Amino acid sequence: DIQMTQSPSTLSASVGDRVTITCRASQSISSWLAWYQQKPGKAPNLLIYRASSLESGVPSRFSGSGSGTEFTLTISGLQPDDFATYYCQQYSTYPWTFGQGTKVELK
Amino acid sequence: QLQLQESGPGLVKPSETLSLTCSVSGVSISSNNKYWGWIRQPPGKGLEWLGSIYYSGRTNYNPSLKSRVTISVDTSKNQFSLNLRSVTAADTAVYYCARIRSAPYAVGWFDPWGQGTLVTVSS
């Protein structure tokens, strides 16, 4: 299985901060990576697919980059609604696997 | 607008079979190039892909479930289902169904998701 490792596990930030979350794959997954946001008690919500394609309706302050084994999700100007847990997911190879999550909390 | 809704028992006894249904509205489940899947999340933990089914009935499963899982489609009801056999407490989780998005040369990101349903395995 391809292991997806996110860092950090928890990130403390303030409104307006630029936030970067990293996701590393245990082997190359080309650009077959998605990012999700999950709020407590809710289902995950798709933010980014194919590493850098912004899902329709998602604010432009979210962006994704990377290819191969290293990827980043950046939030440019953190908003109150952005405090949540973020997951990466690879769909290059079965079984599809997720990172362990990064919780973005208020500093 | 595409919507998915999970349903099924919230409590299952150890060694029995967990059965859930995902009702799809807003699109025909048997439309061309439609994939559907199940994901679970133990309380306080991360996400695990369980398996997926193509509109034609072709399936892919997570080997970690050791052949305990079956996913099927009922086109007459516009639903797809999950059966997980021989459950233990480790199968306690919120179970989500989702559409699996695809594009040329790639398939495998989830959108949208159902709201999820908590299944507890306990005697």
Side-chain angles (χ1 to χ4, degrees):
Chain A
D1 298 6
I2 296 177
Q3 305 300 315
M4 306 300 293
T5 304
Q6 291 181 229
S7 60
S9 294
T10 305
L11 190 158
S12 298
S14 301
V15 172
D17 284 353
R18 178 184 175 91
V19 166
T20 298
I21 299 168
T22 297
C23 177
R24 289 185 173 88
S26 60
Q27 64 189 72
S28 177
I29 59 170
S30 185
S31 296
W32 308 129
L33 183 99
W35 288 98
Y36 304 88
Q37 177 193 68
Q38 186 179 34
K39 296 181 179 179
K42 300 294 186 181
N45 183 51
L46 176 70
L47 299 174
I48 302 278
Y49 61 96
R50 203 174 181 180
S52 60
S53 295
L54 188 68
E55 173 65 4
S56 176
V58 174
S60 58
R61 63 181 179 272
F62 291 92
S63 63
S65 64
S67 66
T69 62
E70 188 153 337
F71 302 85
T72 59
L73 173 71
T74 300
I75 310 173
S76 301
L78 196 67
Q79 296 300 302
D81 191 49
D82 301 337
F83 292 99
T85 300
Y86 294 84
Y87 293 92
C88 62
Q89 177 235 332
Q90 67 83 17
Y91 50 93
S92 170
T93 305
Y94 288 115
W96 298 332
T97 48
F98 293 84
Q100 82 279 14
T102 295
K103 183 178 181 179
V104 177
E105 62 179 23
L106 183 62
K107 183 184 287 183
Chain B
Q1 181 184 1
L2 174 61
Q3 291 185 311
L4 299 93
Q5 176 71 58
E6 305 88 351
S7 61
L11 181 64
V12 180
K13 290 182 167 58
S15 80
E16 295 190 345
T17 297
L18 180 160
S19 296
L20 296 174
T21 295
C22 182
S23 298
V24 177
S25 60
V27 71
S28 171
I29 201 168
S30 58
S31 299
N32 284 356
N33 299 321
K34 290 293 187 297
Y35 292 84
W36 310 93
W38 289 95
I39 307 100
R40 70 180 179 181
Q41 184 172 38
K45 297 188 177 180
L47 299 159
E48 179 184 28
W49 169 72
L50 303 181
S52 56
I53 188 164
Y54 192 42
Y55 77 101
S56 64
R58 187 181 75 227
T59 54
N60 292 92
Y61 299 127
N62 193 325
S64 70
L65 298 170
K66 297 179 180 178
S67 300
R68 294 191 294 133
V69 64
T70 302
I71 297 174
S72 59
V73 168
D74 186 338
T75 55
S76 67
K77 295 181 179 179
N78 221 40
Q79 297 174 337
F80 63 103
S81 299
L82 171 74
N83 278 349
L84 183 64
R85 297 174 289 278
S86 304
V87 297
T88 69
D91 295 308
T92 293
V94 174
Y95 286 76
Y96 296 100
C97 60
R99 177 185 61 174
I100 300 168
R101 295 258 300 271
S102 65
Y105 311 116
V107 59
W109 62 104
F110 303 101
D111 173 67
W113 299 55
Q115 66 183 28
T117 187
L118 174 63
V119 179
T120 301
V121 179
S122 175
S123 56

